[in-house]
Amino acid sequence: MTSSASTPAYDDLCQRHRRKHRLQHLHAMASWDQAAFMPAGGAQSRAEALAEMEGLLHQLGTDPALKDLLARAEQEPLDEVQRASLREMTRVWRAANALPQSLVESRSLAVSHCEHAWRSQRPANDWAGYVENLRPVVRLVREEARLLSESSGLSRYDALLDQYEPGMRSADVDRVFGDLRQWLPGLIRQVMARQQGETVVQPQGPFPTQAQRALGLDAMKLLGFDFAAGRLDESTHPFCGGVPEDVRMTTRYREDSFLQSLTGTIHETGHGRYEQNLPRDWMGLPIAAARSMGLHESQSLSFEMQLASHPGFAGLIEPLVRRHLGDQEAFAAQNLHRMMTRVAPGYIRVDADEVTYPAHVILRYEIERPLMEGEIEVEDIPALWDAKMQELLGLDTRGNFKDGPMQDVHWGAGLFGYFPCYTLGAMYAAQWFATMRRERPSLDADIAKGELTPVFDWLKDRIWQQGSRYETPELVKRASGEALNTAHFRRHLESRYLG
């Protein structure tokens, strides 16, 4: 996108957004450090610094001059990419203008406080202490939802969902999740019955953290992560942060099990590669950002579920596991594949297999939506959690808050409306791989031979390099030839686990 004498208003907008992007870079690095390295004594001052920065970014995004610039840019002779860029600028401006700066800063302080305390409250199973910090976060996000709703005309929950998955509505999510609820429990039972006859050799630990870290770094290299523009560290909850030019990923380690850190690292590598390959020519503008969190999760789940759980991938990872963790019978490729595709209901979402995973997401969606609409309160969460875990996965979670409603960072971080994106992402990922197989019948054989470049090239061309040029339905159609089709996800699970 080049500037021109005929597009002065548009050029001014671009300059302002690039300045904001540079400040967001610093905010992203301070947030990453807060989660990965900051000593506990720095928590309060860091929370205040981040809130100050969010207030400054909000000021820039709501500058009164923007309204006139956006209107004038609309009348300028823009090309197709510039028009898409202006559409995204307008979307960002509308959302920012719905919220007062005082709310933005208060929310930032509340989530920093809640997240920091959660790190010690979760291992202590201290629900009562957590609730004291979660309550103000919920109150502030409800206020945010109310204001976004008034500005957009959407319901309160839909106004939050729209921030993570633009254009998606809870009616769409209800339809997709309603269908899942019909067939998923039966599929879980069928797969578990089928796997009963399989022998899985359990690896013998302990697995030293340093060895697991080295294994994770080798897996990232295998998956094409660019270490000149990113790094891997450790945090309480794995995440991918930073900026496209400098991606900061984290994972977590348990010395009695290496799979959690390995699959977690592979998952975050999918996010990282999407960020590293966003269109550089547009960098700093909203059009250069990842299109949605559902599409972002489609990249992490393309890596973790579609690739890493592929039978051919186990053969690629076997020599790496043996190199770093020693020579064991359990590390044979077929056994590794069985370990990575073992289906069993469990308490923890991030450790769940791909068949039971959607149940964890449905549970959270069915709690967070009424919570944001004001139909239930924070105090109601544990009983609802226990009932839905029993109904969806047959597990008793009563009194087990740390492996129940305290396990995720999301709610304490104010990320209400995010959870549906995980299962939408799994569905998009299944659709991407169905399209790849149709276009390249040798795909599965290629993966087994370690030829992963065709997968990465396809994702780079159809998803990564497109940024936010197209709205989600159009991007999905251009990438795969059809709208989101949930049948691909069901077919993928049935083919992998019952085929």
Side-chain angles (χ1 to χ4, degrees):
M1 281 186 287
T2 53
S3 63
S4 126
S6 59
T7 58
Y10 177 77
D11 296 343
D12 190 343
L13 287 166
C14 288
Q15 228 175 335
R16 289 164 180 264
H17 274 283
R18 289 197 168 104
R19 178 176 181 230
K20 203 169 134 199
H21 174 71
R22 290 189 283 272
L23 291 170
Q24 281 166 332
H25 182 137
L26 296 176
H27 181 276
M29 290 305 158
S31 299
W32 159 79
D33 176 76
Q34 180 188 39
F37 288 112
M38 183 191 74
Q44 184 57 33
S45 59
R46 180 64 56 87
E48 290 167 5
L50 287 170
E52 188 76 31
M53 180 65 100
E54 286 191 34
L56 175 59
L57 288 165
H58 186 263
Q59 273 175 31
L60 293 173
T62 55
D63 184 323
L66 290 171
K67 185 177 183 181
D68 181 54
L69 285 169
L70 288 164
R72 280 168 40 211
E74 195 67 55
Q75 304 307 315
E76 292 176 345
L78 305 180
D79 64 26
E80 182 260 328
V81 171
Q82 290 170 323
R83 286 258 161 242
S85 179
L86 183 62
R87 180 198 72 220
E88 290 304 299
M89 288 176 182
T90 306
R91 188 170 71 80
V92 168
W93 173 77
R94 280 208 182 103
N97 269 280
L99 307 175
Q101 186 175 331
S102 58
L103 176 63
V104 171
E105 291 178 1
S106 299
R107 183 191 190 282
S108 176
L109 280 169
V111 301
S112 284
H113 182 60
C114 188
E115 192 275 334
H116 186 74
W118 165 81
R119 294 181 208 177
S120 53
Q121 288 166 342
R122 186 192 167 201
N125 202 40
D126 180 11
W127 172 255
Y130 179 62
V131 164
E132 290 307 309
N133 299 324
L134 183 61
R135 218 182 270 118
V137 173
V138 168
R139 178 174 55 76
L140 290 163
V141 179
R142 279 177 173 172
E143 178 62 8
E144 179 186 2
R146 181 183 71 78
L147 293 167
L148 288 168
S149 168
E150 286 173 5
S151 156
S152 64
L154 300 172
S155 74
R156 292 181 185 192
Y157 184 77
D158 281 0
L160 296 173
L161 177 63
D162 196 66
Q163 295 184 105
Y164 305 110
E165 198 60 22
M168 183 66 67
R169 303 291 174 255
S170 48
D172 305 319
V173 178
D174 287 342
R175 191 174 61 251
V176 169
F177 285 5
D179 177 54
L180 260 177
R181 263 181 167 279
Q182 296 298 309
W183 57 264
L184 190 66
L187 180 67
I188 293 170
R189 285 192 297 272
Q190 274 181 284
V191 175
M192 286 175 69
R194 179 169 179 153
Q195 289 187 346
Q196 263 184 335
E198 290 180 357
T199 305
V200 181
V201 181
Q202 292 306 318
Q204 300 305 304
F207 308 102
T209 295
Q210 276 313 106
Q212 289 191 59
R213 175 174 161 76
L215 170 60
L217 292 170
D218 269 0
M220 289 167 71
K221 281 179 201 145
L222 176 67
L223 294 166
F225 186 81
D226 178 5
F227 284 95
R231 54 181 288 141
L232 176 71
D233 294 286
E234 195 175 344
S235 68
T236 308
H237 196 289
F239 69 91
C240 178
V243 290
E245 306 93 323
D246 184 0
V247 170
R248 302 300 173 94
M249 282 171 39
T250 69
T251 191
R252 58 184 172 196
Y253 302 102
R254 276 175 44 186
E255 297 218 331
D256 63 334
S257 172
F258 72 92
L259 264 191
Q260 280 88 340
S261 76
L262 179 60
T263 55
T265 301
I266 290 170
H267 177 100
E268 300 306 335
T269 303
H271 285 306
R273 289 219 60 196
Y274 188 11
E275 288 291 320
Q276 287 182 336
N277 287 279
L278 286 166
R280 289 303 166 99
D281 292 351
W282 310 336
M283 199 53 71
L285 306 179
I287 191 178
R291 176 63 210 157
S292 76
M293 293 322 298
L295 285 176
H296 229 309
E297 295 301 342
S298 83
Q299 301 314 293
S300 57
L301 295 169
S302 285
F303 277 53
E304 181 194 0
M305 300 304 189
Q306 294 292 333
L307 266 183
S309 295
H310 188 285
F313 190 82
L316 308 182
I317 208 89
E318 176 186 357
L320 306 183
V321 175
R322 290 190 189 278
R323 181 189 310 158
H324 295 293
L325 303 182
D327 216 7
Q328 293 191 28
E329 187 189 350
F331 299 157
Q334 188 189 36
N335 196 68
L336 282 172
H337 176 63
R338 284 181 175 177
M339 284 166 59
M340 291 172 101
T341 52
R342 204 81 193 135
V343 173
Y347 296 116
I348 306 298
R349 174 186 62 84
V350 296
D351 296 340
D353 58 84
E354 64 180 330
V355 183
T356 60
Y357 195 105
H360 290 269
V361 173
I362 291 169
L363 174 147
R364 286 155 176 78
Y365 168 69
E366 292 180 357
I367 293 175
E368 72 173 16
R369 186 178 164 195
L371 183 65
M372 286 298 106
E373 297 285 4
E375 295 160 15
I376 63 168
E377 296 303 327
V378 170
E379 293 76 12
D380 301 320
I381 293 174
L384 283 166
W385 188 283
D386 295 340
K388 289 180 184 295
M389 277 299 267
Q390 189 63 54
E391 177 203 355
L392 289 162
L393 291 170
L395 295 174
D396 185 355
T397 51
R398 287 172 299 177
N400 184 1
F401 305 108
K402 68 182 175 67
D403 297 330
M406 288 179 76
Q407 66 180 268
D408 298 297
V409 75
H410 300 61
W411 288 343
L415 302 178
F416 293 94
Y418 190 112
F419 275 121
C421 300
Y422 286 107
T423 289
L424 293 169
M427 291 173 166
Y428 287 131
Q431 190 155 327
W432 307 150
F433 275 75
T435 307
M436 283 184 230
R437 283 189 180 93
R438 189 173 70 240
E439 295 174 2
R440 189 183 181 91
S442 64
L443 184 79
D444 295 296
D446 293 341
I447 291 170
K449 285 187 286 194
E451 291 173 14
L452 305 180
T453 306
V455 172
F456 303 145
D457 286 350
W458 191 97
L459 292 171
K460 183 176 182 178
D461 179 50
R462 311 282 178 102
I463 312 294
W464 302 343
Q465 290 281 289
Q466 301 306 322
S468 285
R469 179 176 180 173
Y470 305 110
E471 292 182 283
T472 308
E474 188 178 352
L475 188 145
V476 173
K477 203 158 192 178
R478 282 172 173 271
S480 66
E482 60 178 328
L484 174 62
N485 179 355
T486 60
H488 291 299
F489 181 59
R490 184 175 183 175
R491 264 200 296 274
H492 157 68
L493 293 179
E494 288 175 345
S495 152
R496 176 171 284 173
Y497 292 91
L498 298 176

